Amino acid sequence: MGFVVGVHVATNLRILGMAPGIPLSLMRRFSSVFWVSLVFVSLSGVLLLIAYPAKALTNPVFYLKLSAIVMALFITRSLAKGVLQDPSYDVGPPPRQARVLATVSIFLWAGAVTSGRFLAYTYKILMASHQY
Amino acid sequence: MVEALLDFSHWSRIYDFLNSSWGWPTIESLHFIGLSLLIGTVGLFDLRMIGLAKGIPMSALHRLVPWGIAGYGLNVLTGFMFVSTAPDQYLFNPAFQTKLALMVIAGINVLFFYRFQFDRVKRAGAKASAQRGAKIAAAVSLTCWIGVIVCGRLITYYRPPYYWCFWC
């Protein structure tokens, strides 16, 4: 999680104008870190889901978390195909639309982390077998 | 120690807040956001020194590090809130003790890096590799912080009795 969110933190901060000396298009070289970490969190997430399916599936917060992640990943794709591919933005500020997307992305990742933490405290059912 | 921390937690109302229905997960979320800031800036800087993403000047990437320091500060603050509210669950907990030890090593590593390695890293070209000393410091940093996160997660799964405390 640290690296999945972390790579986005760094890329989005750069899009928003921090550390302007970093050539923006080269931030893509960290995408392998992001993909490898995404595989790790997805696999461990699926394992946790298999272990306690009722706990997550009956909790609306779980769907909030998943939608935040999916929306954030759409932004990642859009930025990767847009400003991150265009070396003309290596120096100077990227267009306004990219900066808006970067801001939304930061909030979506923060929301995904927050809903993930709340999942451990807001569930109503731990195991379906406890219902009978 | 346990009593002093608890007294402070009660006195400052941190105790009441963390024991309210949303208190603990709210502060935990901030703690996780802080760790993402640290890993996303310091972690990527370490990876660049080890040899990933050559082409990004290390001095330019280092400009993100203050965000990591902000995340660290946030986590010291939120972490202290947890420890002061349930000190017996932390102080005697081997996972917490290991976490603190790794943080001390990471801290010494920071001093070593900025005292002996940073000047050369700062002057290196965009495509250059870092010198060996800086690579070692980067590897130590990554290992420590990943270890800190793992130990942090493990704290929850130990409920140590007080006699696990080896200094009391």
Side-chain angles (χ1 to χ4, degrees):
Chain A
M1 186 217 92
F3 277 115
V4 170
V5 181
V7 171
H8 285 92
V9 165
T11 310
N12 289 329
L13 284 176
R14 170 60 187 86
I15 291 174
L16 290 175
M18 313 300 158
I22 302 173
L24 183 54
S25 61
L26 294 186
M27 281 309 279
R28 280 181 23 244
R29 300 206 173 157
F30 284 119
S31 64
S32 56
V33 179
F34 155 66
W35 282 112
V36 171
S37 317
L38 189 69
V39 169
F40 271 93
V41 291
S42 307
L43 284 178
S44 51
V46 167
L47 286 179
L48 286 169
L49 186 62
I50 294 173
Y52 295 98
K55 180 186 175 189
L57 296 175
T58 56
N59 191 342
V61 179
F62 178 68
Y63 302 98
L64 199 66
K65 173 180 172 177
L66 281 194
S67 6
I69 294 173
V70 169
M71 285 190 283
L73 289 177
F74 270 111
I75 293 183
T76 304
R77 194 176 70 165
S78 140
L79 290 173
K81 288 187 169 175
V83 282
L84 289 174
Q85 225 169 30
D86 190 343
S88 62
Y89 297 118
D90 276 358
V91 277
R96 190 185 148 74
Q97 190 210 9
R99 283 181 281 140
V100 172
L101 284 178
T103 312
V104 177
S105 166
I106 289 175
F107 280 101
L108 285 172
W109 285 113
V113 169
T114 304
S115 41
R117 280 296 70 213
F118 272 79
L119 271 177
Y121 299 87
T122 53
Y123 63 88
K124 296 244 158 49
I125 298 166
L126 183 61
M127 289 199 269
S129 56
H130 289 179
Q131 297 303 299
Y132 306 107
Chain B
M1 180 93 142
V2 172
E3 275 173 25
L5 285 167
L6 260 179
D7 282 348
F8 177 82
S9 187
H10 280 291
W11 172 80
S12 58
R13 298 298 177 107
I14 290 173
Y15 186 91
D16 297 319
F17 178 67
L18 279 189
N19 282 299
S20 66
S21 58
W22 284 19
W24 202 284
T26 303
I27 300 303
E28 254 191 341
S29 302
L30 288 176
H31 202 70
F32 277 47
I33 289 166
L35 91 81
S36 304
L37 282 169
L38 187 71
I39 294 293
T41 56
V42 175
L44 293 196
F45 181 63
D46 288 339
L47 286 174
R48 170 62 186 88
M49 285 197 286
I50 287 173
L52 204 85
K54 278 184 189 158
I56 298 180
M58 290 182 274
S59 56
L61 195 57
H62 188 267
R63 296 274 298 270
L64 288 177
V65 167
W67 291 85
I69 297 173
Y72 176 82
L74 177 66
N75 279 14
V76 169
L77 201 73
T78 49
F80 180 75
M81 290 172 79
F82 299 133
V83 174
S84 63
T85 299
D88 57 322
Q89 294 299 320
Y90 290 90
L91 300 181
F92 314 138
N93 194 319
F96 180 72
Q97 292 161 358
T98 313
K99 178 174 177 172
L100 280 196
L102 287 170
M103 284 175 67
V104 170
I105 298 172
I108 295 169
N109 186 53
V110 165
L111 295 178
F112 163 80
F113 174 73
Y114 284 103
R115 179 76 180 79
F116 299 110
Q117 306 293 336
F118 184 53
D119 276 345
R120 256 179 85 185
V121 168
K122 208 165 51 178
R123 281 184 276 109
K127 293 193 171 116
S129 330
Q131 70 275 17
R132 181 194 272 184
K135 279 186 180 160
I136 294 173
V140 170
S141 164
L142 275 177
T143 313
C144 283
W145 291 119
I146 291 172
V148 164
I149 294 173
V150 170
C151 289
R153 289 284 50 211
L154 286 178
I155 290 170
T156 319
Y157 303 99
Y158 282 110
R159 290 288 175 235
Y162 69 92
Y163 52 80
W164 280 19
C165 167
F166 58 80
W167 68 77
C168 332

